[in-house]
Amino acid sequence: MVISRVLILYEPRLYSDLINELIEQLGLLDIVEITDNHSDPGESNNQDNVDVVILPLDGDGIPKTSLLPSSINEAKLVAFSPDGTLGMRRMPGEEDWVEMRPFGLSQLIVEILRANPVY
């Protein structure tokens, strides 16, 4: 069975921790460890083969791609607002973001599980 690897860079930290707990309860995913929403320099190899990265949206509804580590591979990016009114997805190799409204926990789980990891 292939397990998707998920990197959570969501802010605020409380939401990041809650998403982490939810994903761990699913038991089908591997969470790539992060420290204070930024990767450890010694953990750069741990970011190889990440399938999904979870990001927040800024106040203007733009994905906070500035949180992405420079060493991240081609991964599916999922960003959403904390109130669930807007979610966005960018597939590997694409430049355009697809809008999803509304965006709740069920959509987050579907997006993570549909990562189509390649190993």
Side-chain angles (χ1 to χ4, degrees), residues 10 54-58 61-63 77-90 96-105 107-108 111:
Y10 203 85
I54 300 173
L55 299 166
L57 294 176
D58 67 14
I62 307 294
L77 303 179
V78 177
F80 59 93
S81 61
D83 64 1
T85 58
L86 175 62
M88 300 186 85
R89 171 187 63 226
R90 188 174 83 188
D96 295 330
W97 289 85
V98 175
E99 224 176 81
M100 297 173 281
R101 290 181 187 261
F103 191 88
L105 285 177
Q107 288 83 13
L108 177 61
E111 292 301 324

mmCIF file of all heavy atoms in Angstrom, residues 10 54-58 61-63 77-90 96-105 107-108 111:
data_model
loop_
_atom_site.group_PDB
_atom_site.id
_atom_site.type_symbol
_atom_site.label_atom_id
_atom_site.label_comp_id
_atom_site.label_asym_id
_atom_site.label_seq_id
_atom_site.Cartn_x
_atom_site.Cartn_y
_atom_site.Cartn_z
ATOM 1 N N TYR A 10 0.638 25.014 7.602
ATOM 2 C CA TYR A 10 -0.514 25.867 7.859
ATOM 3 C C TYR A 10 -0.256 26.785 9.047
ATOM 4 O O TYR A 10 0.416 26.413 9.995
ATOM 5 C CB TYR A 10 -1.769 25.024 8.108
ATOM 6 C CG TYR A 10 -3.026 25.794 7.825
ATOM 7 C CD1 TYR A 10 -3.522 25.863 6.537
ATOM 8 C CD2 TYR A 10 -3.675 26.491 8.819
ATOM 9 C CE1 TYR A 10 -4.659 26.611 6.249
ATOM 10 C CE2 TYR A 10 -4.807 27.244 8.550
ATOM 11 C CZ TYR A 10 -5.288 27.297 7.260
ATOM 12 O OH TYR A 10 -6.395 28.040 6.981
ATOM 13 N N ILE A 54 0.244 21.441 2.618
ATOM 14 C CA ILE A 54 -0.928 22.181 3.071
ATOM 15 C C ILE A 54 -0.488 23.569 3.513
ATOM 16 O O ILE A 54 0.376 23.707 4.381
ATOM 17 C CB ILE A 54 -1.635 21.434 4.222
ATOM 18 C CG1 ILE A 54 -2.081 20.062 3.736
ATOM 19 C CG2 ILE A 54 -2.819 22.252 4.736
ATOM 20 C CD1 ILE A 54 -2.643 19.180 4.825
ATOM 21 N N LEU A 55 -1.093 24.588 2.898
ATOM 22 C CA LEU A 55 -0.736 25.983 3.138
ATOM 23 C C LEU A 55 -1.965 26.794 3.539
ATOM 24 O O LEU A 55 -3.087 26.432 3.198
ATOM 25 C CB LEU A 55 -0.181 26.607 1.843
ATOM 26 C CG LEU A 55 1.075 25.997 1.246
ATOM 27 C CD1 LEU A 55 1.272 26.509 -0.176
ATOM 28 C CD2 LEU A 55 2.272 26.339 2.109
ATOM 29 N N PRO A 56 -1.747 27.932 4.198
ATOM 30 C CA PRO A 56 -2.851 28.855 4.463
ATOM 31 C C PRO A 56 -3.020 29.827 3.296
ATOM 32 O O PRO A 56 -2.135 29.958 2.446
ATOM 33 C CB PRO A 56 -2.379 29.596 5.713
ATOM 34 C CG PRO A 56 -0.890 29.630 5.569
ATOM 35 C CD PRO A 56 -0.523 28.324 4.899
ATOM 36 N N LEU A 57 -4.143 30.511 3.281
ATOM 37 C CA LEU A 57 -4.348 31.639 2.377
ATOM 38 C C LEU A 57 -4.079 32.919 3.160
ATOM 39 O O LEU A 57 -4.353 32.984 4.361
ATOM 40 C CB LEU A 57 -5.788 31.666 1.863
ATOM 41 C CG LEU A 57 -6.227 30.509 0.969
ATOM 42 C CD1 LEU A 57 -7.711 30.635 0.636
ATOM 43 C CD2 LEU A 57 -5.407 30.458 -0.295
ATOM 44 N N ASP A 58 -3.548 33.928 2.487
ATOM 45 C CA ASP A 58 -3.353 35.207 3.168
ATOM 46 C C ASP A 58 -4.678 35.974 3.218
ATOM 47 O O ASP A 58 -5.709 35.465 2.759
ATOM 48 C CB ASP A 58 -2.231 36.028 2.512
ATOM 49 C CG ASP A 58 -2.565 36.495 1.105
ATOM 50 O OD1 ASP A 58 -3.751 36.445 0.688
ATOM 51 O OD2 ASP A 58 -1.626 36.924 0.399
ATOM 52 N N GLY A 61 -6.746 36.112 0.074
ATOM 53 C CA GLY A 61 -7.146 34.861 -0.570
ATOM 54 C C GLY A 61 -6.094 34.275 -1.491
ATOM 55 O O GLY A 61 -6.406 33.481 -2.373
ATOM 56 N N ILE A 62 -4.842 34.645 -1.274
ATOM 57 C CA ILE A 62 -3.727 34.154 -2.084
ATOM 58 C C ILE A 62 -2.965 33.098 -1.269
ATOM 59 O O ILE A 62 -2.648 33.334 -0.098
ATOM 60 C CB ILE A 62 -2.751 35.304 -2.451
ATOM 61 C CG1 ILE A 62 -3.496 36.466 -3.099
ATOM 62 C CG2 ILE A 62 -1.606 34.802 -3.316
ATOM 63 C CD1 ILE A 62 -4.103 36.172 -4.430
ATOM 64 N N PRO A 63 -2.645 31.943 -1.874
ATOM 65 C CA PRO A 63 -1.866 30.928 -1.147
ATOM 66 C C PRO A 63 -0.512 31.473 -0.699
ATOM 67 O O PRO A 63 0.173 32.159 -1.462
ATOM 68 C CB PRO A 63 -1.686 29.816 -2.174
ATOM 69 C CG PRO A 63 -2.837 29.991 -3.113
ATOM 70 C CD PRO A 63 -3.057 31.477 -3.192
ATOM 71 N N LEU A 77 -0.257 21.166 -4.102
ATOM 72 C CA LEU A 77 -0.374 22.201 -3.080
ATOM 73 C C LEU A 77 -1.851 22.445 -2.807
ATOM 74 O O LEU A 77 -2.643 22.587 -3.735
ATOM 75 C CB LEU A 77 0.283 23.505 -3.546
ATOM 76 C CG LEU A 77 1.758 23.426 -3.948
ATOM 77 C CD1 LEU A 77 2.241 24.789 -4.408
ATOM 78 C CD2 LEU A 77 2.606 22.893 -2.816
ATOM 79 N N VAL A 78 -2.202 22.464 -1.524
ATOM 80 C CA VAL A 78 -3.576 22.724 -1.106
ATOM 81 C C VAL A 78 -3.529 23.863 -0.097
ATOM 82 O O VAL A 78 -2.810 23.784 0.896
ATOM 83 C CB VAL A 78 -4.220 21.474 -0.464
ATOM 84 C CG1 VAL A 78 -5.623 21.786 0.022
ATOM 85 C CG2 VAL A 78 -4.229 20.301 -1.439
ATOM 86 N N ALA A 79 -4.273 24.933 -0.390
ATOM 87 C CA ALA A 79 -4.331 26.085 0.510
ATOM 88 C C ALA A 79 -5.795 26.394 0.790
ATOM 89 O O ALA A 79 -6.644 26.215 -0.080
ATOM 90 C CB ALA A 79 -3.645 27.293 -0.135
ATOM 91 N N PHE A 80 -6.076 26.836 2.022
ATOM 92 C CA PHE A 80 -7.460 27.154 2.349
ATOM 93 C C PHE A 80 -7.535 28.177 3.466
ATOM 94 O O PHE A 80 -6.595 28.364 4.230
ATOM 95 C CB PHE A 80 -8.259 25.894 2.703
ATOM 96 C CG PHE A 80 -7.717 25.122 3.870
ATOM 97 C CD1 PHE A 80 -8.186 25.345 5.157
ATOM 98 C CD2 PHE A 80 -6.732 24.163 3.678
ATOM 99 C CE1 PHE A 80 -7.684 24.630 6.229
ATOM 100 C CE2 PHE A 80 -6.232 23.436 4.741
ATOM 101 C CZ PHE A 80 -6.707 23.669 6.013
ATOM 102 N N SER A 81 -8.696 28.843 3.507
ATOM 103 C CA SER A 81 -8.941 29.848 4.539
ATOM 104 C C SER A 81 -9.396 29.161 5.820
ATOM 105 O O SER A 81 -10.034 28.109 5.767
ATOM 106 C CB SER A 81 -10.008 30.837 4.069
ATOM 107 O OG SER A 81 -11.227 30.160 3.825
ATOM 108 N N PRO A 82 -9.077 29.738 6.980
ATOM 109 C CA PRO A 82 -9.467 29.114 8.243
ATOM 110 C C PRO A 82 -10.976 29.043 8.440
ATOM 111 O O PRO A 82 -11.469 28.186 9.154
ATOM 112 C CB PRO A 82 -8.817 29.981 9.312
ATOM 113 C CG PRO A 82 -8.184 31.116 8.639
ATOM 114 C CD PRO A 82 -8.272 30.925 7.168
ATOM 115 N N ASP A 83 -11.734 29.917 7.763
ATOM 116 C CA ASP A 83 -13.189 29.882 7.936
ATOM 117 C C ASP A 83 -13.883 28.934 6.965
ATOM 118 O O ASP A 83 -15.098 28.767 7.015
ATOM 119 C CB ASP A 83 -13.775 31.289 7.822
ATOM 120 C CG ASP A 83 -13.588 31.905 6.450
ATOM 121 O OD1 ASP A 83 -13.018 31.252 5.553
ATOM 122 O OD2 ASP A 83 -14.023 33.059 6.266
ATOM 123 N N GLY A 84 -13.127 28.311 6.067
ATOM 124 C CA GLY A 84 -13.697 27.313 5.172
ATOM 125 C C GLY A 84 -14.446 27.863 3.981
ATOM 126 O O GLY A 84 -15.101 27.107 3.263
ATOM 127 N N THR A 85 -14.348 29.170 3.727
ATOM 128 C CA THR A 85 -15.065 29.733 2.587
ATOM 129 C C THR A 85 -14.346 29.532 1.269
ATOM 130 O O THR A 85 -14.968 29.550 0.212
ATOM 131 C CB THR A 85 -15.318 31.246 2.772
ATOM 132 O OG1 THR A 85 -14.063 31.899 2.956
ATOM 133 C CG2 THR A 85 -16.230 31.500 3.956
ATOM 134 N N LEU A 86 -13.030 29.336 1.311
ATOM 135 C CA LEU A 86 -12.259 29.219 0.081
ATOM 136 C C LEU A 86 -11.115 28.228 0.247
ATOM 137 O O LEU A 86 -10.397 28.244 1.241
ATOM 138 C CB LEU A 86 -11.677 30.596 -0.308
ATOM 139 C CG LEU A 86 -10.744 30.641 -1.506
ATOM 140 C CD1 LEU A 86 -11.463 30.187 -2.781
ATOM 141 C CD2 LEU A 86 -10.178 32.031 -1.684
ATOM 142 N N GLY A 87 -10.963 27.379 -0.741
ATOM 143 C CA GLY A 87 -9.824 26.482 -0.821
ATOM 144 C C GLY A 87 -9.250 26.579 -2.218
ATOM 145 O O GLY A 87 -9.951 26.927 -3.171
ATOM 146 N N MET A 88 -7.963 26.280 -2.349
ATOM 147 C CA MET A 88 -7.317 26.320 -3.655
ATOM 148 C C MET A 88 -6.386 25.128 -3.785
ATOM 149 O O MET A 88 -5.796 24.670 -2.803
ATOM 150 C CB MET A 88 -6.557 27.628 -3.829
ATOM 151 C CG MET A 88 -7.475 28.843 -3.738
ATOM 152 S SD MET A 88 -6.649 30.367 -4.107
ATOM 153 C CE MET A 88 -6.804 30.368 -5.877
ATOM 154 N N ARG A 89 -6.271 24.634 -5.019
ATOM 155 C CA ARG A 89 -5.424 23.467 -5.291
ATOM 156 C C ARG A 89 -4.574 23.749 -6.521
ATOM 157 O O ARG A 89 -5.062 24.300 -7.510
ATOM 158 C CB ARG A 89 -6.300 22.250 -5.559
ATOM 159 C CG ARG A 89 -5.533 21.049 -6.057
ATOM 160 C CD ARG A 89 -6.430 19.905 -6.470
ATOM 161 N NE ARG A 89 -7.274 20.313 -7.587
ATOM 162 C CZ ARG A 89 -8.577 20.072 -7.660
ATOM 163 N NH1 ARG A 89 -9.212 19.450 -6.706
ATOM 164 N NH2 ARG A 89 -9.263 20.467 -8.707
ATOM 165 N N ARG A 90 -3.297 23.364 -6.436
ATOM 166 C CA ARG A 90 -2.407 23.422 -7.598
ATOM 167 C C ARG A 90 -1.729 22.069 -7.732
ATOM 168 O O ARG A 90 -1.053 21.601 -6.809
ATOM 169 C CB ARG A 90 -1.367 24.532 -7.456
ATOM 170 C CG ARG A 90 -0.570 24.708 -8.754
ATOM 171 C CD ARG A 90 0.355 25.878 -8.685
ATOM 172 N NE ARG A 90 1.566 25.450 -8.007
ATOM 173 C CZ ARG A 90 2.542 26.268 -7.639
ATOM 174 N NH1 ARG A 90 2.427 27.566 -7.816
ATOM 175 N NH2 ARG A 90 3.616 25.807 -7.047
ATOM 176 N N ASP A 96 -1.470 27.171 -12.565
ATOM 177 C CA ASP A 96 -2.742 27.758 -12.165
ATOM 178 C C ASP A 96 -3.312 27.052 -10.941
ATOM 179 O O ASP A 96 -3.201 25.843 -10.790
ATOM 180 C CB ASP A 96 -3.757 27.667 -13.305
ATOM 181 C CG ASP A 96 -3.339 28.501 -14.509
ATOM 182 O OD1 ASP A 96 -2.651 29.525 -14.310
ATOM 183 O OD2 ASP A 96 -3.699 28.116 -15.633
ATOM 184 N N TRP A 97 -3.960 27.851 -10.101
ATOM 185 C CA TRP A 97 -4.651 27.346 -8.924
ATOM 186 C C TRP A 97 -6.124 27.156 -9.270
ATOM 187 O O TRP A 97 -6.715 27.988 -9.964
ATOM 188 C CB TRP A 97 -4.532 28.330 -7.766
ATOM 189 C CG TRP A 97 -3.154 28.413 -7.179
ATOM 190 C CD1 TRP A 97 -2.124 29.174 -7.624
ATOM 191 C CD2 TRP A 97 -2.676 27.708 -6.039
ATOM 192 N NE1 TRP A 97 -1.019 28.989 -6.828
ATOM 193 C CE2 TRP A 97 -1.334 28.084 -5.841
ATOM 194 C CE3 TRP A 97 -3.245 26.793 -5.162
ATOM 195 C CZ2 TRP A 97 -0.561 27.590 -4.812
ATOM 196 C CZ3 TRP A 97 -2.475 26.295 -4.128
ATOM 197 C CH2 TRP A 97 -1.147 26.690 -3.955
ATOM 198 N N VAL A 98 -6.737 26.085 -8.771
ATOM 199 C CA VAL A 98 -8.156 25.821 -8.951
ATOM 200 C C VAL A 98 -8.864 26.175 -7.654
ATOM 201 O O VAL A 98 -8.458 25.734 -6.580
ATOM 202 C CB VAL A 98 -8.398 24.327 -9.296
ATOM 203 C CG1 VAL A 98 -9.878 24.018 -9.358
ATOM 204 C CG2 VAL A 98 -7.699 23.958 -10.589
ATOM 205 N N GLU A 99 -9.911 26.981 -7.776
ATOM 206 C CA GLU A 99 -10.680 27.422 -6.614
ATOM 207 C C GLU A 99 -11.700 26.364 -6.214
ATOM 208 O O GLU A 99 -12.309 25.729 -7.075
ATOM 209 C CB GLU A 99 -11.419 28.709 -6.983
ATOM 210 C CG GLU A 99 -11.358 29.764 -5.951
ATOM 211 C CD GLU A 99 -12.025 31.036 -6.414
ATOM 212 O OE1 GLU A 99 -13.264 31.115 -6.336
ATOM 213 O OE2 GLU A 99 -11.283 31.941 -6.851
ATOM 214 N N MET A 100 -11.909 26.205 -4.907
ATOM 215 C CA MET A 100 -12.914 25.275 -4.386
ATOM 216 C C MET A 100 -13.698 26.007 -3.301
ATOM 217 O O MET A 100 -13.110 26.517 -2.355
ATOM 218 C CB MET A 100 -12.229 24.034 -3.806
ATOM 219 C CG MET A 100 -11.465 23.232 -4.837
ATOM 220 S SD MET A 100 -10.519 21.892 -4.094
ATOM 221 C CE MET A 100 -9.108 22.783 -3.464
ATOM 222 N N ARG A 101 -15.023 26.041 -3.463
ATOM 223 C CA ARG A 101 -15.885 26.706 -2.489
ATOM 224 C C ARG A 101 -17.082 25.844 -2.190
ATOM 225 O O ARG A 101 -17.696 25.356 -3.125
ATOM 226 C CB ARG A 101 -16.377 28.042 -3.033
ATOM 227 C CG ARG A 101 -15.295 29.069 -3.137
ATOM 228 C CD ARG A 101 -15.910 30.369 -3.680
ATOM 229 N NE ARG A 101 -14.908 31.343 -3.969
ATOM 230 C CZ ARG A 101 -14.583 32.352 -3.164
ATOM 231 N NH1 ARG A 101 -15.176 32.506 -2.028
ATOM 232 N NH2 ARG A 101 -13.659 33.207 -3.515
ATOM 233 N N PRO A 102 -17.497 25.684 -0.983
ATOM 234 C CA PRO A 102 -16.754 25.933 0.254
ATOM 235 C C PRO A 102 -15.656 24.884 0.408
ATOM 236 O O PRO A 102 -15.587 23.937 -0.376
ATOM 237 C CB PRO A 102 -17.824 25.783 1.331
ATOM 238 C CG PRO A 102 -18.806 24.814 0.765
ATOM 239 C CD PRO A 102 -18.796 25.077 -0.731
ATOM 240 N N PHE A 103 -14.829 25.033 1.420
ATOM 241 C CA PHE A 103 -13.733 24.102 1.646
ATOM 242 C C PHE A 103 -13.712 23.726 3.118
ATOM 243 O O PHE A 103 -13.380 24.537 3.974
ATOM 244 C CB PHE A 103 -12.393 24.722 1.250
ATOM 245 C CG PHE A 103 -11.276 23.726 1.202
ATOM 246 C CD1 PHE A 103 -11.021 23.008 0.053
ATOM 247 C CD2 PHE A 103 -10.493 23.487 2.326
ATOM 248 C CE1 PHE A 103 -9.993 22.082 -0.001
ATOM 249 C CE2 PHE A 103 -9.464 22.561 2.278
ATOM 250 C CZ PHE A 103 -9.208 21.864 1.122
ATOM 251 N N GLY A 104 -14.077 22.485 3.409
ATOM 252 C CA GLY A 104 -14.111 21.998 4.780
ATOM 253 C C GLY A 104 -13.200 20.799 4.971
ATOM 254 O O GLY A 104 -12.396 20.462 4.101
ATOM 255 N N LEU A 105 -13.346 20.143 6.103
ATOM 256 C CA LEU A 105 -12.492 18.987 6.412
ATOM 257 C C LEU A 105 -12.654 17.861 5.403
ATOM 258 O O LEU A 105 -11.680 17.211 5.034
ATOM 259 C CB LEU A 105 -12.785 18.468 7.818
ATOM 260 C CG LEU A 105 -12.244 19.310 8.960
ATOM 261 C CD1 LEU A 105 -12.678 18.729 10.300
ATOM 262 C CD2 LEU A 105 -10.735 19.431 8.886
ATOM 263 N N GLN A 107 -13.318 18.073 2.234
ATOM 264 C CA GLN A 107 -12.571 18.417 1.023
ATOM 265 C C GLN A 107 -11.069 18.284 1.249
ATOM 266 O O GLN A 107 -10.352 17.828 0.369
ATOM 267 C CB GLN A 107 -12.901 19.842 0.550
ATOM 268 C CG GLN A 107 -14.258 19.998 -0.046
ATOM 269 C CD GLN A 107 -15.348 20.199 1.006
ATOM 270 O OE1 GLN A 107 -15.072 20.453 2.181
ATOM 271 N NE2 GLN A 107 -16.588 20.090 0.581
ATOM 272 N N LEU A 108 -10.606 18.671 2.440
ATOM 273 C CA LEU A 108 -9.183 18.535 2.753
ATOM 274 C C LEU A 108 -8.752 17.075 2.695
ATOM 275 O O LEU A 108 -7.747 16.738 2.073
ATOM 276 C CB LEU A 108 -8.872 19.119 4.133
ATOM 277 C CG LEU A 108 -7.428 18.973 4.616
ATOM 278 C CD1 LEU A 108 -6.468 19.686 3.682
ATOM 279 C CD2 LEU A 108 -7.297 19.468 6.038
ATOM 280 N N GLU A 111 -8.656 15.848 -0.925
ATOM 281 C CA GLU A 111 -7.492 16.377 -1.642
ATOM 282 C C GLU A 111 -6.205 15.671 -1.234
ATOM 283 O O GLU A 111 -5.352 15.396 -2.070
ATOM 284 C CB GLU A 111 -7.366 17.889 -1.438
ATOM 285 C CG GLU A 111 -8.454 18.687 -2.097
ATOM 286 C CD GLU A 111 -8.527 18.475 -3.596
ATOM 287 O OE1 GLU A 111 -7.473 18.310 -4.254
ATOM 288 O OE2 GLU A 111 -9.648 18.489 -4.137
#
